[in-house]
Amino acid sequence: MRDTLTLRRPDDWHLHLRDGAMLRAVLPETTRHFARAIVMPNLVPPVVTGADAAAYRARIMAALPEGTDFTPLMTLYLTEETDPEDVAAAHASGLVTAVKLYPAGATTNSASGVRDFDRVRGVLEKMAEIGLPLCVHGEVTDPAVDIFDRESVFIDRVLDPVRRATPGLRVIMEHITTANGVEYVRAHDRDLGATITTHHLIINRNHILVGGIKPHYYCLPVAKREEHRLALRAAATSGDARFFLGTDSAPHIDPLKESACGCAGCFTATNTLSILAHVFEQEQALDHLEAFTSLNGPAFYRLPPNEARTTLSKGDAVSYPGKIDTDDGPVTVFDPGFALHWRVT
Ligand code: NCD
Ligand code: ZN
């Protein structure tokens, strides 16, 4: 039985670092294990322009622990007012790696997102022309659509029409949670990839709702039925280059999670690699872990994989903190519900 594993150093292709005290507290949890991360722009106010992204990048660099080798890959938050020329300039200078599309109201801090897709056509056409990828939060916000159907309806109503209308646009379906998402990606071999989170490989909707409500398992898109979790596990562990890791590690302080109207987000930066090794071993796919964490993402983003290596070894149960302290309050670390034996050495 295998008990060590050496990989190219992983990257996280979907991460929330926040700002201020939260940024300072959670950044080391990511930089300990990841060389690069696609940094989500849903701050308050959002990171909309190239100038916003430059300033946010500087704040991240200033918060990096001494001697840390980490590259934040910046994104712009797409609004109906986004200027295609500002986006193109931010891309040309190397400042931004992707643009993020939030349907207005779909998730945390998405109020400035897109309502009318016709109004962002010019930006999307410019992005297709210059090869700048679009990261998509794929859920409709129509109140008539059940929350568990919002991803599959989005694919039919929005994603497929937008892709057809914008040939050459490179799209990442972020944090897919359904077999429908997996199938849509599998059916298209050009210009389409998907990130999968760590927690969606572990929990289904029962984990959130059975035996008392578990706010720390609540995230968006919300975890679906077991059959969907199994489809995600099959996709992630398959080695298929279109699927790669985006943890969507999304810290909120405990009082905002454990509330009458709790925030969405699971904080998984701390133990993600141990959980993933566990999942890939269960699926007898440890040979595909490197593709998922370290190779497929760079290939999609047309970046070289990292030269540095990370070694995981299997042994006694790994101990990790149940909470991370921040100057704003505690953040609970995702509990997979079982002991972890793979540690990063
Ligand atoms: C994210 C957050 O808290 O910013 N929450 C989440 O549940 N994933 C937003 C997002 O990525 O949808
Ligand atoms: Zn996210």
Side-chain angles (χ1 to χ4, degrees), residues 50-310:
D52 297 338
Y56 186 30
R57 187 177 194 285
R59 297 198 295 280
I60 296 169
M61 297 311 284
L64 273 181
E66 190 87 17
T68 309
D69 190 11
F70 176 74
T71 305
L73 302 173
M74 307 309 291
T75 60
L76 297 180
Y77 185 122
L78 182 62
T79 73
E80 294 180 2
E81 278 71 51
T82 295
D83 173 6
E85 294 312 320
D86 180 62
V87 170
H91 172 64
S93 70
L95 174 66
V96 307
T97 303
V99 171
K100 176 71 188 239
L101 165 67
Y102 292 101
T107 188
T108 311
N109 305 336
S110 62
S112 322
V114 176
R115 282 186 175 76
D116 178 357
F117 284 83
D118 285 339
R119 300 194 52 182
V120 295
R121 184 156 297 168
V123 183
L124 299 184
E125 281 168 2
K126 175 58 86 177
M127 289 172 62
E129 181 191 319
I130 63 180
L132 178 59
L134 180 72
C135 296
V136 175
H137 184 110
E139 290 189 287
V140 292
T141 55
D142 179 347
V145 178
D146 189 275
I147 189 165
F148 293 100
D149 299 331
R150 288 181 175 196
E151 181 171 300
S152 58
V153 173
F154 181 89
I155 293 169
D156 298 339
R157 276 196 205 166
V158 182
L159 181 63
D160 197 58
V162 165
R163 291 187 64 246
R164 283 174 195 280
T166 326
L169 180 66
R170 311 188 64 239
V171 172
I172 302 105
M173 293 173 71
E174 298 284 69
H175 43 50
I176 55 170
T177 59
T178 59
N180 313 67
V182 170
E183 278 157 25
Y184 186 77
V185 173
R186 284 221 176 100
H188 297 88
D189 55 8
R190 279 170 59 100
D191 300 330
L192 188 63
T195 56
I196 300 178
T197 76
T198 306
H199 48 282
H200 288 116
L201 299 175
I202 304 298
I203 60 169
N204 63 32
R205 64 198 203 177
N206 281 14
H207 291 86
I208 310 170
L209 297 170
V210 173
I213 193 158
K214 312 295 189 318
H216 296 291
Y217 288 154
Y218 172 60
C219 66
L220 288 169
V222 71
K224 310 294 192 297
R225 287 176 181 275
E226 177 65 358
E227 67 199 61
H228 295 291
R229 185 184 75 97
L230 295 178
L232 297 172
R233 280 172 78 108
T237 60
S238 66
D240 185 324
R242 290 167 291 192
F243 300 102
F244 42 94
L245 174 63
T247 65
D248 196 16
S249 183
H252 295 275
I253 54 168
D254 284 353
L256 296 179
K257 294 283 298 172
E258 300 165 6
S259 150
C261 183
C263 291
C266 296
F267 178 66
T268 57
T270 305
N271 53 10
T272 276
L273 289 182
S274 295
I275 297 174
L276 290 174
H278 184 104
V279 167
F280 277 65
E281 183 178 46
Q282 280 184 328
E283 300 291 332
Q284 299 180 352
L286 279 175
D287 287 343
H288 289 161
L289 182 60
E290 185 181 42
F292 185 66
T293 61
S294 318
L295 301 176
N296 296 348
F300 187 89
Y301 277 95
R302 299 177 176 160
L303 293 168
N306 299 308
E307 283 304 329
R309 300 300 199 271
T310 293

